[in-house]
């Protein structure tokens, strides 16, 4: 993660580099192989966070995928490996292009907040600990799916941490940790 990668770059790079009719999860992993796990975890977390996360089964599938990716980082893997069943899943290139064009104004706004900060938080040990937290959050999305849109809380924390991981932004990693704590307290009080 030696250079800065913006959210808009992620979307545009996939749109530009993948020439097939479908953009698969394996395309995402291959495209950002050397950049780490941030983009690979970010996309399913966004799916769970957005209204698509209200569809039964979507938060669980996204949570399992996030946990599978993050556990690899916990064990020190430098690039993500995907099982064949998951690697072939994806979205049509045409749809990806349309969505990319629509969300670019928003991703550019997010990109203004991302920059390499608190680099000491981006060390191997810290990244592994935060990846372990992502595993817990991803798996936590499964039971939270029973409560309407409750899985959006861990998904938001994962989105923020994945943005931090992608951009090398330790501040975003801390904010993601804060969202995790606040969400855990909020869900705890709601269940009492």
């Amino acid at each position: 993660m030696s250079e800065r990668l913006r959210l808009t770059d992620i979307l545009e790079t996939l749109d530009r580099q993948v020439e097939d009719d479908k953009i698969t999860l394996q395309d995402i992993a291959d495209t950002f192989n050397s950049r780490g796990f941030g983009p690979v975890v970010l996309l399913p977390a966004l799916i769970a966070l957005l209204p698509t996360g209200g569809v039964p089964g979507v938060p669980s599938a996204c949570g399992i995928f996030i946990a599978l990716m993050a556990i690899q980082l916990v064990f020190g893997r430098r690039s993500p490996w995907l099982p064949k069943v998951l690697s072939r899943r994806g979205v049509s290139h045409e749809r990806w292009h349309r969505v990319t064009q629509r969300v670019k104004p928003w991703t550019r706004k997010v990109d203004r907040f991302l920059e390499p900060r608190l680099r000491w938080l981006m060390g191997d040990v810290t990244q592994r600990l935060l990846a372990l937290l992502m595993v817990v959050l991803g798996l936590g999305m499964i039971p939270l799916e029973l409560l309407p849109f409750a899985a959006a809380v861990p998904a938001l924390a994962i989105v923020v941490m994945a943005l931090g991981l992608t951009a090398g932004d330790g501040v975003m990693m801390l904010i993601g940790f804060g969202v995790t704590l606040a969400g855990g307290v909020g869900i705890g009080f709601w269940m009492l």
Side-chain angles (χ1 to χ4, degrees), residues 2 7 29 35 38 41 44 51-52 59 70-71 82 107 115 118 126 129 132 138:
S2 59
L7 186 54
R35 304 283 189 156
V41 172
T52 52
I71 197 72
L82 296 167
T107 59
E115 59 183 74
L118 298 180
T126 310
L129 290 173
L132 184 59

Side-chain angles (χ1 to χ4, degrees), residues 6-183:
R6 298 173 184 269
L7 186 54
T8 307
D9 294 340
I10 294 170
L11 299 173
E12 289 177 341
T13 300
L14 281 167
D15 193 23
R16 188 177 54 249
Q17 287 186 359
V18 177
E19 296 176 1
D20 297 335
D21 291 338
K22 184 178 181 182
I23 294 178
T24 65
L25 291 173
Q26 188 63 53
D27 291 328
I28 295 168
D30 291 344
T31 301
F32 300 103
N33 205 356
S34 62
R35 304 283 189 156
F37 289 79
V40 176
V41 172
L42 176 64
L43 295 173
L46 279 172
I47 291 168
L49 178 63
L50 296 172
T52 52
V55 176
V58 169
S60 293
C62 291
I64 291 168
F65 179 78
I66 290 165
L68 286 173
M69 294 301 100
I71 197 72
Q72 294 178 47
L73 183 57
V74 170
F75 289 114
R77 193 165 167 87
R78 288 287 153 221
S79 60
W81 170 86
L82 296 167
K84 282 190 179 187
V85 169
L86 291 176
S87 67
R88 295 181 188 147
R89 302 277 181 198
V91 65
S92 75
H93 197 148
E94 181 182 324
R95 175 181 260 174
W96 183 271
H97 180 74
R98 282 194 319 261
V99 169
T100 298
Q101 296 308 311
R102 253 186 274 159
V103 299
K104 266 190 208 178
W106 297 100
T107 59
R108 286 186 179 126
K109 289 177 184 177
V110 170
D111 287 340
R112 287 188 217 144
F113 294 104
L114 299 175
E115 59 183 74
R117 298 176 280 199
L118 298 180
R119 299 293 290 176
W120 58 272
L121 277 174
M122 302 312 295
D124 279 347
V125 173
T126 310
Q127 281 188 24
R128 287 180 183 196
L129 290 173
L130 287 168
L132 184 59
L133 179 59
M134 285 186 197
V135 171
V136 171
L137 290 170
L139 294 176
M141 290 167 68
I142 298 168
L144 286 176
E145 184 175 353
L146 298 174
L147 304 171
F149 295 101
V153 175
L156 175 62
I158 293 168
V159 164
V160 174
M161 287 188 279
L163 286 171
L165 194 59
T166 300
D169 191 342
V171 170
M172 291 300 281
M173 299 292 264
L174 286 176
I175 292 170
F177 185 69
V179 169
T180 302
L181 291 177

